[in-house]
């Protein structure tokens, strides 16, 4: 039986899950071997979290509860890392501090 994990996280970033945040999200998802999916509703539709096109198509604004699930090797780590990224507002504050 393969490992699986699920979690939800509230998007608090001002622009939600749009261009830069989506790139960061999918890049992090791709760093794990597990199959990672994301949805903006608990009952789906679920889509591939490693696809920038599909993640951006979700158009998840600030205040959206993002549902993340993973199956396979590193599933728990993948979900934890993605939740952490969203909770850190996709590191946007850190990025702006570097460019200032």
């Amino acid at each position: 039986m393969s490992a699986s994990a699920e979690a939800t996280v509230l998007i608090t970033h001002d622009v939600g899950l749009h261009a830069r945040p989506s790139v960061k999200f999918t890049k992090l998802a791709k760093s794990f071997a597990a199959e990672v999916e994301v949805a903006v509703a608990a009952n789906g539709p679920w889509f591939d979290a490693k696809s920038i096109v599909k993640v951006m198509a979700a158009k998840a604004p600030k205040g959206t509860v993002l549902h993340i699930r993973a199956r396979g090797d590193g599933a728990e780590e993948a979900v934890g890392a993605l939740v952490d990224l969203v909770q850190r507002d996709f590191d946007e504050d850190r990025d702006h501090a570097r460019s200032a």
Side-chain angles (χ1 to χ4, degrees):
M1 185 173 183
S2 68
S4 66
E6 288 187 36
T8 58
V9 62
L10 178 67
I11 297 175
T12 58
H13 188 273
D14 286 338
V15 298
L17 192 56
H18 290 284
R20 281 189 318 266
S22 292
V23 168
K24 291 177 182 183
F25 190 87
T26 57
K27 186 176 181 180
L28 182 58
K30 287 178 183 179
S31 73
F32 293 95
E35 175 186 323
V36 185
E37 294 179 309
V38 64
V40 294
N43 58 347
W46 290 87
F47 48 92
D48 184 359
K50 297 180 182 184
S51 168
I52 186 64
V53 172
K54 292 180 180 181
V55 170
M56 285 186 68
K59 298 181 182 173
K62 179 179 181 176
T64 299
V65 174
L66 203 58
H67 302 266
I68 304 167
R69 69 183 182 189
R71 284 186 301 274
D73 290 340
E76 198 169 310
E77 293 85 356
V79 170
L82 290 166
V83 166
D84 190 46
L85 179 67
V86 175
Q87 289 175 333
R88 293 190 323 259
D89 284 342
F90 306 96
D91 294 332
E92 290 287 300
D93 290 339
R94 190 178 318 166
D95 291 347
H96 289 298
R98 270 187 260 158
S99 63

